[in-house]
Amino acid sequence: MKARLLLIPLSPLALVAPAYAVTYLTVEQAQTLMFEGSVLTRDFRVLTPEQIQAIESDSGVKVANPQLNAWRDGAGGWFVLDQVIGKHEFINYAVALDANGAVRQLEILDYHESYGGEVHLPAWRRQFVGKHHGSQLQLNGDIKNISGATLSCGHVTDGVRRLLSTYALVLAAAEH
Amino acid sequence: MKTPMNLSLRALLALAVLSAAGAAQADPVTSDADAREQKLERHVEELARQLQAVQAELQALKAQNQAAASARAAPASPAPQAPQQPVQTAAIAAAPTPPAAPAAPASSPFENLSLWGYGEVYYTHPTHDSKRTEFDLARAVFGIGYKFDDRTLFNSEYEVEHAVSSADDVGEFEVEQFYIDRLLSDQVGVRAGLILMPFGLLNEYHEPTNFYGVQRNFVETLIIPSTWREGGAALHGETEFGLAWNAGITSDQDLSKWNFAPEFPQYVTALDLEDNDVAPLQATHQELALAKGQHLAQYLALNYNGVPGLKVGASIFNGKLATVPAPPNAPVPDDQHLTLWEAHARWMPGNFDISALYAHGAISNLAAINAENPGSPNPIPSSFLGYYGQVAYTAWQSGGYRFAPFVRWEHYDMGASYEGVSGPVVPSGLVPVSAAPGDYGYWPRGFDRVWTFGANYYLGPHVVLKADYQSFRVNTDFSRYDLGLGLNF
């Protein structure tokens, strides 16, 4: 079955690339790729100051944007959009979580710099599959680095650790 | 910000709630009133939930608008220890949830501008020759980039070496990079201008936070002349399985800059050796300063990044050089060609960071040129080479702090073979090494084996403190302690 995505107006979420960028996937393409055949329902949140503090304390990563862009699928999984800084520019990426909160897939949506774009390589992204809240998720620990792309690798790793804390403390907590 | 659309959405939801309530009042008597009541309650709860979602979305849009506005107001005030914070306003507009309005034209010419920088300060103390201890702001580099559109980028870096650049000082002001990078597709880009050569592990990633040791290793300074840049154009790209490729046509070296007859040694410390442009490709580099362009060179570089934690690569450069003018009535020598190739690997299993590199350079047809300069302490070598192995280990890390000791062994030889002469003719024993009265030393040899023991201590990703000890096996007076401070943002 072709993906039927309940994307209440997607236009505000469409990736705008006002500057030099390699766009690997749009949000819609990433959703189709990661949740083909599922119905995704938008479930956006604005993190409260208390939630932000809890996430920062739990993950050790600063929360720069209180907006949580998450979609829920019918089977209990989540599609979460996020962004981190590479060296100077944002990297937009998406994480698919299964019903238990483990990472099922990570996709880089775009990259805006002339060096460090190797984070989009499938072999590097596959390292995140199966990681869950509580996984170590440290660069040069359970996530191997790419020489020449250290900042991008480190920041995406930090971003996923922050998202897994967000899942545990906000998304999963709200369901119980 | 309440838009008419948002208000009408709210009104619709409110109307739906009221109509649902009205429907309940219009039908007071039924056989299953309880069931209907429960259904209505669920309906109202669902509408309330949707209303909350709409409110949340409104708040999010407000927050984003405020963030974008404040970022425009203060484009150059990033929080240095908060990597999640944007460092420039252009990036704000690239957020995955920008305001609903389409991307507005840049409201400021600074929106697509990037600024960055790096630099390093050394303290170096030769253990056998402490009077040559030096303290140096080795380099202060600032970068400016501009993004013209979604396919075209400009990057540039400007460097001051040794703090002061004037007619009376040793410092230099240099343009280190100056290029346009345009994406031809998502897989292939073209870069043109003054570009960094993709050779070795260090040349393109030469910021002090990216290498171990206070100074760069000797092989990637004396054999691969980092920071090596040439004028030219290159195509580059990377395949989905991790093979990065880069091929270009560039300017090359000028042998007429060679100094065959230095009165004194061109370097008397290890720091001089790195700084004084004595190595074959340092002494002849042109750096796009009115570079002789009659001949062009070509290069190819391949790197495989397909296995996380592993990088292996190799590159080769070949070109016909601008030559030394032949004396009157002397036969014109054949063309000189330079070939430089290198292979490298870096493996980062767990806390280890292991790297190795081999580099070899050769210049052809030098016999006649060297023969014109008999007895030279500094003939042009026909070949030069170097290799190193290095092991670093992250012994401790917490938060952004990281402590990584390392050891490196390297061998360099700036004159592995010669044509036309048997080699440099240098005096032995103590000789004057400068014009200063009483300044005696040994004429250094152009090859050595060096052990380096040291540690990098990172204060986050942008600042590093370094210390090392280097033991030279041939030029033993070069052995030294070093301290360094590096930064990169």
Side-chain angles (χ1 to χ4, degrees):
Chain A
M1 182 181 82
K2 191 168 165 47
R4 187 164 61 87
L5 304 171
L6 294 184
L7 303 176
I8 316 165
L10 187 62
S11 56
L13 307 163
L15 285 168
V16 180
Y20 183 94
V22 177
T23 302
Y24 300 108
L25 294 167
T26 64
V27 174
E28 199 166 13
Q29 287 168 338
Q31 289 174 327
T32 305
L33 180 70
M34 298 162 102
F35 284 92
E36 185 162 12
S38 301
V39 175
L40 287 180
T41 308
R42 190 164 62 165
D43 191 352
F44 282 17
R45 320 282 177 98
V46 177
L47 300 173
T48 65
E50 294 74 26
Q51 287 171 328
I52 290 172
Q53 192 174 16
I55 292 164
E56 290 181 348
S57 167
D58 185 60
S59 66
V61 182
K62 194 163 174 60
V63 176
N65 188 349
Q67 172 72 26
L68 174 61
N69 298 324
W71 284 256
R72 188 202 313 247
D73 90 330
W78 291 88
F79 174 93
V80 187
L81 264 188
D82 192 40
Q83 62 179 188
V84 291
I85 290 283
K87 183 174 182 187
H88 304 115
E89 303 287 346
F90 278 118
I91 303 167
N92 291 301
Y93 70 103
V95 171
L97 303 177
D98 67 17
N100 298 317
V103 175
R104 219 183 60 204
Q105 199 170 343
L106 183 151
E107 292 291 336
I108 304 294
L109 303 193
D110 55 32
Y111 196 83
H112 297 255
E113 302 188 53
S114 53
Y115 284 98
E118 292 87 349
V119 287
H120 88 276
L121 293 175
W124 188 77
R125 292 184 284 108
R126 272 198 296 273
Q127 296 180 101
F128 291 89
V129 174
K131 301 296 183 193
H132 50 80
H133 180 238
S135 295
Q136 187 196 11
L137 275 172
Q138 293 287 347
L139 193 66
N140 296 320
D142 51 348
I143 303 296
K144 300 266 186 286
N145 192 11
I146 301 173
S147 178
T150 301
L151 287 173
S152 294
C153 290
H155 292 163
V156 171
T157 304
D158 288 347
V160 174
R161 194 166 70 250
R162 169 171 50 76
L163 283 187
L164 290 173
S165 292
T166 308
Y167 166 80
L169 299 173
V170 178
L171 298 178
E175 290 177 341
H176 295 137
Chain B
M1 182 180 70
K2 290 182 181 177
T3 64
M5 183 194 79
N6 292 329
L7 287 174
S8 63
L9 254 178
R10 281 184 164 189
L12 274 175
L13 288 168
L15 199 63
V17 173
L18 289 173
S19 64
Q25 286 175 354
D27 189 15
V29 182
T30 62
S31 57
D32 54 352
D34 288 349
R36 181 179 291 272
E37 193 175 323
Q38 286 173 4
K39 187 178 174 187
L40 282 170
E41 279 177 2
R42 284 199 299 275
H43 196 182
V44 170
E45 283 171 5
E46 175 63 17
L47 288 169
R49 198 186 66 75
Q50 290 182 10
L51 188 58
Q52 282 178 344
V54 171
Q55 285 174 329
E57 189 178 340
L58 275 172
Q59 286 175 358
L61 288 170
K62 278 185 197 173
Q64 286 158 16
N65 285 340
Q66 285 167 359
S70 60
R72 280 190 198 98
S77 56
Q81 290 302 319
Q84 304 301 323
Q85 293 285 349
V87 296
Q88 61 160 312
T89 55
I92 289 286
T97 56
S107 59
S108 155
F110 300 113
E111 287 209 3
N112 288 328
L113 189 68
S114 303
L115 297 173
W116 66 92
Y118 67 91
E120 47 197 326
V121 176
Y122 304 154
Y123 174 83
T124 177
H125 173 76
T127 52
H128 302 307
D129 199 4
S130 61
K131 68 176 182 295
R132 301 194 195 279
T133 299
E134 287 178 296
F135 208 173
D136 188 30
L137 172 53
R139 48 179 59 90
V141 184
F142 297 95
I144 300 173
Y146 196 83
K147 299 186 173 181
F148 300 107
D149 55 45
D150 64 353
R151 291 278 162 192
T152 317
L153 169 86
F154 164 69
N155 274 340
S156 62
E157 284 186 359
Y158 307 90
E159 171 167 354
V160 177
E161 289 187 351
H162 314 305
V164 181
S165 174
S166 78
D168 302 323
D169 295 291
V170 294
E172 293 181 19
F173 182 83
E174 301 172 347
V175 180
E176 194 172 86
Q177 303 184 49
F178 193 97
Y179 66 83
I180 294 284
D181 201 342
R182 181 167 173 86
L183 292 171
L184 303 177
S185 72
D186 283 354
Q187 286 78 37
V188 179
V190 59
R191 195 172 288 173
L194 179 65
I195 56 180
L196 292 182
M197 303 298 282
F199 279 61
L201 291 166
L202 194 147
N203 197 59
E204 286 185 290
Y205 309 100
H206 50 259
E207 297 84 358
T209 49
N210 288 334
F211 60 87
Y212 293 98
V214 175
Q215 278 103 17
R216 301 171 183 183
N217 69 72
F218 289 102
V219 179
E220 292 184 272
T221 305
L222 304 177
I223 310 302
I224 300 171
S226 71
T227 307
W228 183 19
R229 64 269 191 181
E230 298 287 354
L235 289 169
H236 61 93
E238 184 157 32
T239 67
E240 192 72 358
F241 64 92
L243 180 68
W245 56 272
N246 188 327
I249 295 175
T250 68
S251 58
D252 58 9
Q253 282 65 35
D254 176 8
L255 290 179
S256 71
K257 299 173 81 172
W258 192 265
N259 180 2
F260 287 93
E263 185 181 356
F264 300 107
Q266 293 175 289
Y267 54 98
V268 292
T269 66
L271 192 59
D272 287 350
L273 173 62
E274 294 199 309
D275 284 345
N276 290 4
D277 290 345
V278 295
L281 300 189
Q282 292 176 316
T284 56
H285 63 196
Q286 301 201 80
E287 299 178 332
L288 220 53
L290 290 175
K292 292 179 179 172
Q294 185 183 0
H295 310 300
L296 294 176
Q298 56 270 318
Y299 73 85
L300 171 67
L302 299 173
N303 277 289
Y304 177 64
N305 297 304
V307 176
L310 178 69
K311 179 188 191 110
V312 292
S315 50
I316 185 165
F317 175 97
N318 177 267
K320 185 157 72 171
L321 305 180
T323 193
V324 180
N329 304 320
V332 176
D334 291 334
D335 295 331
Q336 285 79 48
H337 286 261
L338 164 68
T339 302
L340 180 77
W341 65 271
E342 61 84 24
H344 56 261
R346 184 177 180 187
W347 184 38
M348 294 173 280
N351 286 346
F352 282 98
D353 186 348
I354 302 165
S355 51
L357 179 143
Y358 180 93
H360 183 278
I363 302 173
S364 63
N365 293 323
L366 287 168
I369 292 172
N370 280 332
E372 290 291 334
N373 298 277
S376 167
N378 192 38
I380 304 177
S382 292
S383 67
F384 43 96
L385 59 88
Y387 42 91
Y388 71 77
Q390 175 181 278
V391 178
Y393 182 77
T394 296
W396 172 84
Q397 66 178 334
S398 176
Y401 297 95
R402 185 163 78 88
F403 179 71
F406 74 96
V407 59
R408 179 172 65 236
W409 185 88
E410 58 188 313
H411 169 67
Y412 67 83
D413 189 344
M414 296 188 286
S417 65
Y418 292 88
E419 282 183 285
V421 292
S422 59
V425 178
V426 298
S428 56
L430 283 172
V431 295
V433 294
S434 76
D439 189 11
Y440 286 88
Y442 295 95
W443 198 289
R445 299 295 184 261
F447 55 91
D448 217 322
R449 300 179 301 280
V450 187
W451 280 101
T452 306
F453 307 91
N456 283 14
Y457 180 54
Y458 289 90
L459 312 175
H462 303 292
V463 180
V464 61
L465 302 174
K466 301 179 177 184
D468 64 37
Y469 172 71
Q470 293 193 310
S471 172
F472 286 72
R473 316 309 287 181
V474 176
N475 299 288
T476 52
D477 280 356
F478 287 4
S479 295
R480 59 180 178 172
Y481 288 107
D482 300 301
L483 297 173
L485 164 69
L487 62 93
N488 176 26
F489 63 91

